[in-house]
């Protein structure tokens, strides 16, 4: 239980939240047709005969969509139902050519599962928390109406009709906007790891229906409202906050919560009523007679399981236990599958280029990626995906540090130049003369010169003014134009000064 | 040339192959009959003489080149207007689809064209295949070529494949496609002295067939006799990956394996089909059928199908439920009729379009279907009906432990006059009482003309078989046909 409470005039209120997430299945073709699914195509260019519900057209399930739903279920440790069935949800709307959506009400493909959100004290999540997932079912998306094409008529774009969605239904296990945000982020992370949804919320690939109710501690669940189609983590949190406050206000002023569907307005951060239960549709669900029950064979399930990648929780544990990364670094690096992949390539390249075991260079690689590269990319306003420094180039750079060829401060300079020019590290080091001097003889010679020129200070040092050590290091480095290997300089100075 | 139109599928196919006549001569002969009968019988919604000619010329050219002519090479047929045909108006006999020209071809019709058949036209039917008399067609009812002795009253050709049955009986085509949801092949065949088989559910692809009730709809051939049905079914059937309910089984050589010798076979007689107040003529014909099958070498046993009396109510829940959803797509948005009153919003457009586009029987069934699926009624009606449907299937499964095929009448009466049942949907629905159980169980079933009523009208006997055993059904049908020697045909008055 989070410590999130709404302070009302009559005391504290708890908030109960459940999310229904619609995630577009990553697939070349739609759930029951061969039409393409690319985002942003010209209207009505990705429409098969069945998508337009031409007379006599029939749905045939796309195995890839089924496979992705099963893999997603496996990734949340859910029960996979070897028998599932498609049902028709009947209603009339111009964006729904068949007059029904093919969905799975009675027998979903994925049953009970869960995911864990991580403790985040700052966000008011005191410890790791398991959020239950009731089910995942697959269903068709609808099309889109365009109201701005004609003064009195609306146009219909059927490109999205029939695109496969997974509806992922959580248990009402969340008790604060932060928990709901963490749940949605974690779910998105898992989907992107599995590759079953690209998680692009701004393109509508993922959107959430948010169920919220409030109650006094110890009371039974209150009446809930459902806020539809909220399309970012931040908006979900805002919608919950606003909706919970609104419900408390209604209840405290003697009103009742109406079970209803609401809409979120991102501009004002508020929700408003769309339709109440009284005018809710009667969807007349019944099993789709065009489709046989979906029976999953053991071989298929094994293939699905074998194709699952290492999942975020396992990866994070491995980064901590095997690579010795801090919990924070492991968390940052595993939060998105692309970052983790990038890191792992960087690590492999660094190990290869430096001739060391991955575990020996992992911390260096993690720190460099998180504190150097992320910062630099941020400043440039670009992302890891578009980074001019590839993992290969990054690995070369890190190996130069690991081998002592350049200093840490030189490495920063090299990175900046790499980002500007795209050149590789070694070329830059050569060109800019940034190679660090590790040759003991050369350093000794410089040290001797410095000590000879500063006999007074040497004497002071020997009298106990040990803070002067830094002066000698500085002088040596200055004499060597910053290229002396600081470690070697330190060692030689220590020996010579006794 | 008139004799050519007396020929059936096998004789046309063989005659063209042998060079006794050309496919073009056959097509021209039938085209002429179609044109001459249209005004009187109204069997076709659209005639396509040019399609028949084109296919015939292709067959003749193939023959000249020494190529294979296909199972239906040179045979022109009628196509029930429920099958989508490329760029040829496809209406399901409704106003809402009037003028609709699909840019695709149904799998079954394509299979037939691939087998060398040609299209004489699109045959009239009950609107969306809902009806037993062809009176629900938007394009006017089909008139049966048959007349009661001593009467000129127009008779129903049966339904919903009434255009198909009338056209074959009147020699407008040697064969035609039909579809059967609750008896729509068998009942019109029985009414017109023609032969028709509904194969096992899934044998013929439903892709491109305008849907009525998806879990029941099944295409099949209608023709003059059993052999013609066997040939045409071979051409129509086959696994279709575009239909998820299609049977993934090879198509047997039904024609080659036809045999009227029923030695070693057992025929079941379902006692529940013997109903109180049944027409004595029908009972007598049924008894005669038993004798014929015994004569063919079969053993005859009494069987029980205890849930028979629930079949009709079950059917009239499931079929309308599916129809109410299947017909939701006819909304005026993308194709077909759009009625957009001045100032109308989307809901107004739906209401106006569907009010104008659907006939009363279609509306009635949409309403029934919507009702039985609605919240609070779903379990009492739809769920219960599905349970009973399972019991009906189990009845058949048990019965088939004792017998190979089942013999029953096809219909409770001979053809009725047009208008006779039109105000009484319940008595109209009763026409399906013997045909609906096999539809609910998805079993192959066939009607064979077996005799004439005292009024001189055809009567049919029905053979119901095990799933996938079309051969057993066809063989029993052939045995009946050989003994019934049904040669009667309507006197030409049109």
């Amino acid at each position: 239980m989070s410590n999130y409470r709404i302070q009302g005039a009559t005391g504290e209120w708890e908030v109960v939240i459940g999310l229904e997430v619609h995630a577009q299945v990553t697939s070349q073709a739609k759930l029951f047709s061969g039409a393409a699914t690319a985002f942003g195509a010209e209207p009505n260019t990705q429409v098969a005969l069945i998508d337009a519900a031409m007379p006599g057209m029939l749905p045939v399930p796309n195995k890839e969509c089924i496979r992705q739903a099963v893999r997603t279920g496996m990734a949340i440790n859910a029960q996979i139902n070897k028998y599932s069935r498609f049902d028709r949800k009947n209603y009339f709307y111009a964006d729904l050519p068949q007059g029904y959506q093919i969905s799975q009400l009675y027998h979903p493909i994925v049953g009970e599962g869960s995911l864990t959100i991580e403790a985040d004290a700052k966000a008011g999540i005191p410890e790791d928390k398991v959020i239950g997932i009731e089910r995942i079912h697959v269903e068709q998306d609808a099309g889109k109406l365009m109201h701005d094409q004609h003064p009195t008529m609306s146009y219909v774009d059927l490109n999205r009709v029939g695109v496969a969605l997974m509806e992922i239904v959580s248990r009402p296990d969340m008790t604060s906007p932060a928990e709901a945000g963490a749940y949605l982020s974690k779910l998105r992370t898992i989907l992107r790891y599995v590759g079953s949804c690209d998680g692009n919320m701004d393109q509508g690939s993922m959107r959430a229906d948010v169920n919220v109710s409030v109650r006094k501690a110890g009371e039974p669940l209150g009446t809930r409202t459902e806020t539809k189609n909220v399309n970012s983590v931040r908006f979900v949190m805002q919608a919950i906050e606003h909706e919970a406050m609104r419900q408390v206000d209604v209840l405290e002023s003697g009103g009742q919560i109406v079970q209803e569907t609401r809409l979120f307005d991102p501009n004002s951060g508020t929700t408003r009523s769309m339709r109440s239960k009284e005018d809710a549709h009667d969807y007349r669900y019944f099993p789709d007679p065009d489709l046989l029950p979906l029976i999953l064979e053991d071989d298929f399930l094994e293939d699905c399981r074998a194709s699952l990648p290492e999942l975020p929780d396992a990866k994070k544990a491995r980064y901590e236990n095997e690579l010795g990364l801090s919990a924070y670094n492991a968390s940052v690096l595993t939060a998105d599958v692309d970052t983790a992949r990038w890191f792992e390539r960087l690590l492999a390249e660094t190990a290869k280029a430096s001739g060391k075991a991955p575990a020996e260079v992992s911390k260096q690689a993690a720190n460099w990626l998180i504190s150097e590269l992320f910062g630099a990319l941020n400043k440039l306003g670009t992302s890891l995906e578009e980074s001019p420094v590839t993992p290969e180039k990054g690995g070369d750079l890190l190996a130069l540090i690991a081998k002592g060829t350049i200093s840490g401060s030189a490495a920063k300079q090299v990175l900046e130049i790499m980002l500007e020019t795209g050149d590789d590290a070694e070329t830059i080091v050569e060109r800019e003369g940034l190679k660090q001097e590790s040759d003991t003889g050369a350093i000794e010679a410089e040290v001797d010169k410095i000590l000879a020129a500063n006999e007074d200070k040497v004497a002071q040092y020997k009298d106990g003014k040990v803070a002067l050590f830094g002066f000698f290091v500085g002088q040596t480095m200055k004499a060597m134009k910053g290229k002396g290997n600081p470690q070697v300089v330190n060692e030689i100075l220590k020996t010579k000064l006794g | 040339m008139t004799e050519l139109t007396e020929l059936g599928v096998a004789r046309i196919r063989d005659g063209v192959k042998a060079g006794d006549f050309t496919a073009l001569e056959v097509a021209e002969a039938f085209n002429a009959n179609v044109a001459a009968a249209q005004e009187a019988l109204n069997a076709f919604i659209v005639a396509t003489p040019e399609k028949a000619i084109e296919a015939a010329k292709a067959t003749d050219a193939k023959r000249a080149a020494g190529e294979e002519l296909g199972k239906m090479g040179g045979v022109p047929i009628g196509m029930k207007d429920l099958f989508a045909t490329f760029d040829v108006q496809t209406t399901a006999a409704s106003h809402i689809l009037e003028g609709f020209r699909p840019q695709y071809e149904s799998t079954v019709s394509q299979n037939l064209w691939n087998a060398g058949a040609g299209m004489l036209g699109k045959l009239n039917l009950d609107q969306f295949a809902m009806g037993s008399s062809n009176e629900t067609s938007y394009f006017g009812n089909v008139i049966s070529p048959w007349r009661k002795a001593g009467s000129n009253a127009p008779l129903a050709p049966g339904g919903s494949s009434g255009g198909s049955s009338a056209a074959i009986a009147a020699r407008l085509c040697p064969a035609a496609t039909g579809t059967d949801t609750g008896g729509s092949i068998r009942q019109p065949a029985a009414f017109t002295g023609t032969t028709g088989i509904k194969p096992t559910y899934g044998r013929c692809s439903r892709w491109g067939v305008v849907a009525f009730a998806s879990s029941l709809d099944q295409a099949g051939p209608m023709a003059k006799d059993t052999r013609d049905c066997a040939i045409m079914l071979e051409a129509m059937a086959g696994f279709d990956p575009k239909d998820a309910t299609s049977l993934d089984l090879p198509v047997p050589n039904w024609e080659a394996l036809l045999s009227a010798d029923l030695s070693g076979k057992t025929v079941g007689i379902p006692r529940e089909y013997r109903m109180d107040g049944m027409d004595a003529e029908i009972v007598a014909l049924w008894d005669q059928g038993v004798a014929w099958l015994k004569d063919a070498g079969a053993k005859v046993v009494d069987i029980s199908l205890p849930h028979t009396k629930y079949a009709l109510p079950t059917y009239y829940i499931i079929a309308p439920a599916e129809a109410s959803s299947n017909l939701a797509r006819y909304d005026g948005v993308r194709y077909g009729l759009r009625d957009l009153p001045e100032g109308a919003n989307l809901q107004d457009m739906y209401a106006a379009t569907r009010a104008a586009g659907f006939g009363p029987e279609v509306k009635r069934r949409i309403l029934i279907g919507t009702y039985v699926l609605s919240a609070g009624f779903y379990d009492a009606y739809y769920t219960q009906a599905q349970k009973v449907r399972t019991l009906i299937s189990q009845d058949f499964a048990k019965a088939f432990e004792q017998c190979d095929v089942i013999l029953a009448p096809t219909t409770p009466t001979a053809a009725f006059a047009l208008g006779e049942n039109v105000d009484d949907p319940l008595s109209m629905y009763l026409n399906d009482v013997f045909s609906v159980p096999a539809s609910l169980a998805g079993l192959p079933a066939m009607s064979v003309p077996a005799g004439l009523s005292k009024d001189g009208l055809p009567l049919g006997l029905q053979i119901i078989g095990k799933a996938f055993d079309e051969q057993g059904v066809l063989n029993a049908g052939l045995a009946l046909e050989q003994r019934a020697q049904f040669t009667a045909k309507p006197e030409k008055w049109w």
Side-chain angles (χ1 to χ4, degrees), chain A residues 44-290:
Chain A
N44 296 311
T45 54
Q46 299 182 156
V47 187
L49 291 167
I50 178 155
D51 303 326
M54 300 306 269
M57 294 299 97
L58 297 173
V60 176
N62 174 348
K63 198 171 171 186
E64 178 59 15
C65 297
I66 304 303
R67 185 173 159 272
Q68 293 290 32
V70 169
R71 293 173 74 244
T72 305
M74 288 172 167
I76 55 157
N77 289 312
Q79 150 110 23
I80 306 299
N81 294 323
K82 290 167 103 177
Y83 172 97
S84 68
R85 222 174 53 185
F86 292 103
D87 301 300
R88 290 186 184 176
K89 177 182 183 179
N90 295 283
Y91 65 95
F92 284 96
Y93 202 55
D95 66 4
L96 188 74
Q98 292 174 132
Y100 53 84
Q101 175 196 33
I102 306 179
S103 181
Q104 295 188 303
L105 176 68
Y106 296 108
H107 298 276
I109 190 164
V110 175
E112 200 81 35
S114 67
L115 62 73
T116 304
I117 56 173
E118 281 169 38
D120 183 347
K122 260 193 285 178
I125 306 173
E127 55 198 9
D128 287 4
K129 181 172 177 179
V130 175
I131 307 294
I133 292 175
E134 189 186 315
R135 57 188 276 158
I136 300 177
H137 65 256
V138 290
E139 62 185 24
Q140 299 177 299
D141 204 351
K144 193 173 78 179
L145 292 192
M146 298 182 288
H147 301 293
D148 54 359
Q149 309 283 311
H150 187 277
T152 60
M153 297 212 269
S154 294
Y155 281 42
V156 190
D157 175 9
L158 300 182
N159 281 352
R160 285 191 71 85
V161 168
V163 164
L165 302 177
M166 292 180 281
E167 183 169 330
I168 304 163
V169 183
S170 85
R171 292 277 174 201
D173 286 350
M174 290 156 276
T175 56
S176 71
E179 285 186 1
Y183 167 81
L184 192 56
S185 301
K186 185 62 177 285
L187 183 60
R188 184 175 178 275
T189 298
I190 293 172
L191 293 173
R192 285 178 48 77
Y193 266 70
V194 171
S196 57
C197 171
D198 64 23
N200 290 334
M201 298 191 80
D202 51 345
Q203 293 182 358
S205 296
M206 217 178 142
R207 47 197 200 259
D209 296 346
V210 185
N211 287 286
V212 176
S213 66
V214 297
R215 63 174 170 189
K216 287 280 178 69
E219 305 254 307
L221 287 175
T223 303
R224 67 186 165 85
T225 61
E226 180 180 22
T227 304
K228 286 278 195 193
N229 281 331
V230 188
N231 69 350
S232 82
V233 172
R234 191 164 59 90
F235 291 159
V236 163
M237 293 169 66
Q238 274 181 16
I240 294 166
E241 218 172 306
H242 174 268
E243 181 55 19
M245 301 270 224
R246 187 192 69 84
Q247 291 187 11
V248 167
D249 284 348
V250 168
L251 291 169
E252 290 195 331
S253 55
Q256 280 196 325
I257 301 304
V258 186
Q259 188 176 338
E260 63 181 352
T261 304
R262 298 181 69 84
L263 278 178
F264 177 70
D265 177 1
N267 296 320
S268 63
T270 60
T271 68
R272 64 188 153 83
S273 181
M274 194 166 122
R275 58 172 184 261
S276 73
K277 197 186 172 190
E278 284 72 50
D279 31 73
H281 292 113
D282 178 353
Y283 291 119
R284 291 171 282 120
Y285 277 101
F286 77 110
D288 192 322
D290 283 332

Side-chain angles (χ1 to χ4, degrees), chain B residues 33-58:
Chain B
N33 277 11
V34 169
Q38 185 54 28
E39 200 174 322
L41 302 184
N42 196 31
F44 286 84
I45 295 175
V46 170
T48 56
E50 70 292 348
K51 297 264 173 203
I53 298 290
E54 188 188 330
K57 283 181 175 166

Side-chain angles (χ1 to χ4, degrees), chain A residues 451-466:
Chain A
L451 295 183
N454 295 284
E455 277 177 4
D456 52 335
K457 295 218 164 58
V458 173
Q460 286 173 18
Y461 177 85
K462 289 190 172 166
D463 278 351
K465 218 172 171 190
V466 288

Side-chain angles (χ1 to χ4, degrees), chain B residues 31-241:
Chain B
N31 277 342
N33 277 11
V34 169
Q38 185 54 28
E39 200 174 322
L41 302 184
N42 196 31
F44 286 84
I45 295 175
V46 170
T48 56
E50 70 292 348
K51 297 264 173 203
I53 298 290
E54 188 188 330
K57 283 181 175 166
T59 293
D60 289 336
K62 273 187 174 182
R63 186 179 176 278
E67 291 171 30
E68 280 292 316
L69 300 188
K71 287 183 203 295
M72 298 282 292
V75 182
I77 59 169
M79 184 61 60
K80 186 176 182 178
D81 197 26
L82 205 61
F83 294 84
T85 42
F86 187 89
D87 215 24
V88 175
Q89 178 184 262
T90 299
T91 65
S94 71
H95 181 39
I96 209 157
L97 278 177
E98 191 173 10
F100 173 65
R101 296 159 86 93
Q103 296 305 299
Y104 50 94
E105 183 81 33
S106 81
T107 299
V108 161
S109 55
Q110 188 61 55
N111 287 348
L112 286 163
W113 313 146
N114 292 348
M119 181 163 75
L120 293 160
K122 302 294 294 284
L123 289 159
N124 207 344
L125 66 149
D126 276 299
Q127 195 170 138
F128 285 101
M130 298 174 186
S132 305
S133 65
N134 246 273
E135 288 164 292
T136 70
S137 169
Y138 175 74
F139 300 95
N141 46 262
V142 178
I143 312 290
S144 174
W146 290 88
R147 284 174 167 179
K148 274 188 195 178
S151 164
N152 286 341
L155 296 180
S160 66
S161 310
S164 307
S165 66
I168 298 164
R171 276 48 182 172
L172 312 187
C173 57
T177 54
T179 62
D180 190 316
T181 304
S184 282
I185 286 175
R186 291 161 286 161
Q187 185 255 18
F191 276 15
T192 55
T194 56
T195 307
I197 180 168
K198 175 195 93 72
T200 309
Y201 180 79
R203 270 289 184 206
C204 292
S205 170
R206 293 184 297 112
W207 194 88
V209 185
V210 175
F212 163 13
S214 312
S215 74
L216 296 156
D217 294 346
Q218 185 53 215
M222 299 175 71
K224 287 196 175 70
D225 62 24
T226 302
R227 175 170 302 272
D228 287 0
C229 282
I231 296 167
M232 187 161 159
L233 183 57
E234 280 182 36
M236 293 168 72
F239 173 62
D240 182 2

